[in-house]
Amino acid sequence: MNTIKSFLLVLFLAPCILLAQEQPQQATEGPGSTNYKHDAVTMFDYGQDPTGFLLFEPADPKPETADVVIFNHGLGQTNPKNYGAWIEHLVRRGNIVIFPRYEIYGDTPVEEFVVNAAAGIVAALDTLQHTGHVQAASEEIVMVGHSYGGIITANLAVLSETLGLPPIKGAMIAQGYYGDDMALEAYNTFPTDMKLQLVVGERDILVGSTLADKLFDQANVEPQFLNYITHFVDNHGDTNLRASHDEPLSVNDAYDNGASNVFVLGGGALAKTDAVDFYCYWKLFDALVSCALHNEDCDIAFGNSPEQRFMGTWSDGTPAKELQVDIIYALGNEHAPTLPITFTQHPYHLELHIPQAISQAQITLFDLTGKALTSQQQQQVQTEQVITIPLPKTMTNGLYIIEVKSKDGV
């Protein structure tokens, strides 16, 4: 009888084992991949006060020069181990990473964070010029900031010249915090040649999307280099892909500097290194660095391309839920994706010419503040159909945005 019971148990369990799906694995080529130039990382700790910093430099082989990335951590996350896997990935790909401390947790006033971060960056760049360090390949830098580090990154970009920083050519704001204790009055004076990624998580209930929303409305960078990117929960496999505030965290204890507080302990307990890192944060930021400093991989960093949205494939071959990329299309923008839509303007209406059939199309006309002026729903648009869009009689001459959104994209 016991033998029969055991046999039946195996029969019932086997289908469950076969149905378990593993997360998408890290790619072997391209941004976010395991295609590394270096086998080791050298860490230097100059971070004992709020204007201190840590340096992470590529080794084995040690290059003469490397691009410089600034990594602005979240509130209290003064121990780089909680971002250690991401930092190691960046350095092994061939970047120098500067990790400004900017605070002694619980002792440093919030209003000093930005100035402290700038002082740490300037001191780190000076340190790199000393013998024994990998030299900066150029004066241009790229930044990434998580949580409080997100608003610090935004403020540093706006105030870069005042604070004596070198040209900031690109920035990723990852789950950026927004609050009156840190916010500038406006964010419409970014360096116009800067490239900006705004990344939010569907389930980030801690800080939400306020900073990303504000920057998407106000940042005066070129529209083709301003993307608002959302990643989503995907429960397809036995271990789901999350979209909470802690997703940019990725622990590697090799970079433990001994700092400890409630945020370091809590973040370390919540952090995972998984496909959200590989295909969202790591891939997008790798591509941003390459695009901002070398004009390469721009189609992965920006533009709502399939390569940008791709989040890997589950072990059964099912694609993970794609990123959503919101983008501003500028008229005459040669970098924007080709849209198969044209229009004819009349005094009080537009005729929208759509050459392909689409279903459930929401057509909205916006002004440049993001205000919807008119919107209409089309359940089905036939091939070569012309759609009439009434224009409000109160409209004045200017630049406007037409958004055609269907179940297949925007």
Side-chain angles (χ1 to χ4, degrees):
M1 180 65 70
N2 289 337
T3 302
I4 295 174
K5 285 182 178 179
S6 299
F7 180 64
L8 291 174
L9 182 64
V10 172
L11 287 178
F12 284 116
L13 284 179
C16 298
I17 295 171
L18 292 173
L19 289 173
Q21 302 302 329
E22 295 182 0
Q23 281 196 9
Q25 299 299 300
Q26 190 173 7
T28 57
E29 296 290 338
S33 75
T34 58
N35 186 10
Y36 295 121
K37 300 176 182 178
H38 306 275
D39 291 333
V41 176
T42 304
M43 171 177 159
F44 300 90
D45 191 346
Y46 302 92
Q48 302 309 307
D49 60 69
T51 59
F53 58 91
L54 290 97
L55 282 175
F56 302 87
E57 301 177 15
D60 294 342
K62 179 181 177 180
E64 292 185 7
T65 65
D67 294 330
V68 176
V69 168
I70 312 300
F71 201 114
N72 293 313
H73 61 78
L75 182 68
Q77 298 288 353
T78 52
N79 193 326
K81 75 171 185 177
N82 278 2
Y83 299 100
W86 191 359
I87 291 172
E88 181 176 282
H89 169 81
L90 287 167
V91 177
R92 291 187 61 197
R93 283 186 64 87
N95 303 289
I96 298 166
V97 173
I98 296 173
F99 188 90
R101 181 162 189 168
Y102 80 69
E103 64 167 325
I104 302 296
Y105 175 69
D107 292 333
T108 306
V110 171
E111 56 267 23
E112 295 180 6
F113 284 2
V114 172
V115 174
N116 288 345
I121 294 167
V122 170
L125 292 169
D126 179 69
T127 300
L128 287 174
Q129 299 180 36
H130 298 171
T131 302
H133 289 283
V134 177
Q135 305 291 297
S138 74
E139 294 183 356
E140 299 174 339
I141 58 177
V142 179
M143 290 189 178
V144 59
H146 171 226
S147 194
Y148 260 77
I151 196 168
I152 288 172
T153 297
N155 292 1
L156 289 172
V158 170
L159 302 172
S160 58
E161 187 173 351
T162 301
L163 294 171
L165 295 175
I168 302 171
K169 305 302 290 185
M172 172 190 279
I173 311 295
Q175 313 262 19
Y177 162 83
Y178 182 85
D180 293 337
D181 57 346
M182 291 285 291
L184 302 179
E185 289 186 8
Y187 287 93
N188 56 1
T189 55
F190 270 75
T192 55
D193 63 345
M194 201 179 100
K195 297 171 173 61
L196 182 60
Q197 295 172 336
L198 309 170
V199 186
V200 299
E202 175 192 22
R203 301 281 178 86
D204 184 357
I205 61 173
L206 190 61
V207 305
S209 63
T210 303
L211 179 63
D213 296 342
K214 185 173 289 289
L215 295 179
F216 195 59
D217 287 340
Q218 295 186 4
N220 58 314
V221 301
E222 292 293 327
Q224 67 266 29
F225 296 124
L226 173 59
N227 279 187
Y228 189 117
I229 303 160
T230 307
H231 66 90
F232 299 93
V233 172
D234 188 333
N235 294 317
H236 179 73
D238 56 334
T239 304
N240 68 323
L241 301 183
R242 304 182 307 184
S244 65
H245 185 68
D246 299 297
E247 300 317 305
L249 297 172
S250 50
V251 174
N252 186 329
D253 289 328
Y255 306 105
D256 188 349
N257 71 344
S260 182
N261 57 57
V262 64
F263 286 97
V264 171
L265 295 173
L270 294 171
K272 292 198 305 182
T273 303
D274 60 13
V276 178
D277 299 291
F278 306 148
Y279 290 97
C280 181
Y281 294 100
W282 297 11
K283 179 189 74 177
L284 294 178
F285 190 63
D286 284 354
L288 173 63
V289 173
S290 183
C291 180
L293 298 181
H294 305 289
N295 199 32
E296 299 174 352
D297 294 325
C298 293
D299 58 331
I300 300 175
F302 296 97
N304 195 24
S305 66
E307 294 81 7
Q308 184 186 25
R309 298 192 304 268
F310 182 62
M311 282 290 291
T313 304
W314 293 92
S315 59
D316 67 348
T318 301
K321 191 167 186 179
E322 285 191 336
L323 301 171
Q324 176 179 304
V325 181
D326 292 312
I327 184 169
I328 297 174
Y329 296 105
L331 296 179
N333 173 13
E334 65 181 2
H335 298 283
T338 300
L339 300 177
I341 296 172
T342 59
F343 64 88
T344 303
Q345 183 173 342
H346 299 276
Y348 296 112
H349 72 275
L350 294 177
E351 290 181 352
L352 206 62
H353 304 262
I354 303 177
Q356 63 191 43
I358 56 176
S359 60
Q360 300 177 13
Q362 182 74 34
I363 304 171
T364 309
L365 178 69
F366 297 94
D367 64 19
L368 290 188
T369 69
K371 179 182 178 182
L373 303 178
T374 182
S375 184
Q376 66 187 62
Q377 180 80 28
Q378 298 285 141
Q379 289 301 319
Q380 183 70 37
V381 177
Q382 304 299 328
T383 301
E384 301 295 344
Q385 183 175 348
V386 176
I387 307 296
T388 299
I389 310 295
L391 299 179
K393 294 183 179 181
T394 56
M395 284 180 64
T396 59
N397 292 337
L399 182 64
Y400 297 86
I401 298 166
I402 298 173
E403 178 186 76
V404 179
K405 180 184 293 186
S406 76
K407 64 180 182 179
D408 300 317
V410 179

